[in-house]
Amino acid sequence: MITGNHAVIRTTDSDDAPFLQRLYADWPPRSSLLDRKRELIVPTADELRELLGRKDNPATALLAVEDLTGTVRGFCGLRQAGPELAYGELLLMLFDELHYREPLALETFAYLCKNAFAEKRLNKLLAHCLDTEPEWRGFLTGRGFTCDGKQRDVFFTRGEWHDLESFSLLRGAV
């Protein structure tokens, strides 16, 4: 458990399943919840509970982000590309888009960068955002991420196509 001035970052457990399911159920969709085929597979609460309860699963790298009162405000993590590859994808999913403007988001981001660049010795972080996530996009660009390109009409939901934008941040740019 990492306790900061604004956030508590801790490992997830099966009790976090209802909170994680809320991210799947809320609108707008989150780019971090898409699979590699850019599809949104919505698990049930029981599936999430089982997944979060298994400590041998890579999904346990997902961390819960709480405020200092103990309220879960979202989830974060790093998806490493592979043991030989020196890059990974940054995940920071907060329940409310406006939470990206708060010190809690900055503190969580700083922890993730330290973990990625100093501890795991990654050279690059990737992040993605859908066109439905303007605050997340602003957060990324405000922290030094640069746009690597946009895939147009790559994700279809609720009768609409959505664009997916890719960003990167190199070690030393933070």
Side-chain angles (χ1 to χ4, degrees):
M1 180 181 319
I2 307 298
T3 302
N5 294 325
H6 305 282
V8 174
I9 302 166
R10 61 168 177 78
T11 57
T12 55
D13 58 35
S14 57
D15 293 338
D16 292 314
F19 299 108
L20 184 56
Q21 188 177 35
R22 179 177 157 196
L23 285 173
Y24 283 96
D26 282 352
W27 184 257
R30 311 294 178 119
S31 57
S32 297
L33 298 175
L34 302 180
D35 66 10
R36 295 202 185 276
K37 295 184 289 184
R38 304 301 180 213
E39 296 175 351
L40 181 65
I41 309 299
V42 181
T44 65
D46 288 337
E47 290 169 333
L48 287 173
R49 193 172 293 111
E50 180 183 339
L51 183 69
L52 295 175
R54 291 178 32 207
K55 297 304 174 195
D56 63 330
N57 193 306
T60 58
L62 189 65
L63 302 168
V65 179
E66 297 179 344
D67 61 21
L68 296 180
T69 69
T71 302
V72 176
R73 301 279 296 275
F75 295 88
C76 70
L78 291 170
R79 285 184 193 152
Q80 279 194 252
E84 306 87 28
L85 304 173
Y87 71 92
E89 183 179 1
L90 175 99
L91 308 173
L92 179 55
M93 302 173 287
L94 301 176
F95 291 130
D96 187 326
E97 279 272 307
L98 296 179
H99 291 165
Y100 291 109
R101 298 180 185 180
E102 296 180 7
L104 175 134
L106 291 172
E107 195 168 78
T108 304
F109 175 75
Y111 163 77
L112 291 170
C113 285
K114 179 182 175 197
N115 182 259
F117 295 131
E119 295 169 18
K120 295 186 178 186
R121 307 296 299 159
L122 300 181
N123 292 324
K124 179 168 57 172
L125 281 178
L126 304 175
H128 299 91
C129 77
L130 290 165
D131 54 12
T132 57
E133 300 176 287
E135 292 291 333
W136 174 229
R137 184 189 190 289
F139 182 86
L140 292 171
T141 58
R143 309 285 96 57
F145 277 82
T146 57
C147 177
D148 294 329
K150 185 183 286 193
Q151 299 173 35
R152 302 210 182 272
D153 299 334
V154 71
F155 176 64
F156 185 80
T157 186
R158 294 189 180 184
E160 295 180 33
W161 285 98
H162 297 279
D163 300 339
L164 181 71
E165 199 166 0
S166 298
F167 294 89
S168 62
L169 179 70
L170 299 176
R171 179 203 310 253
V174 181

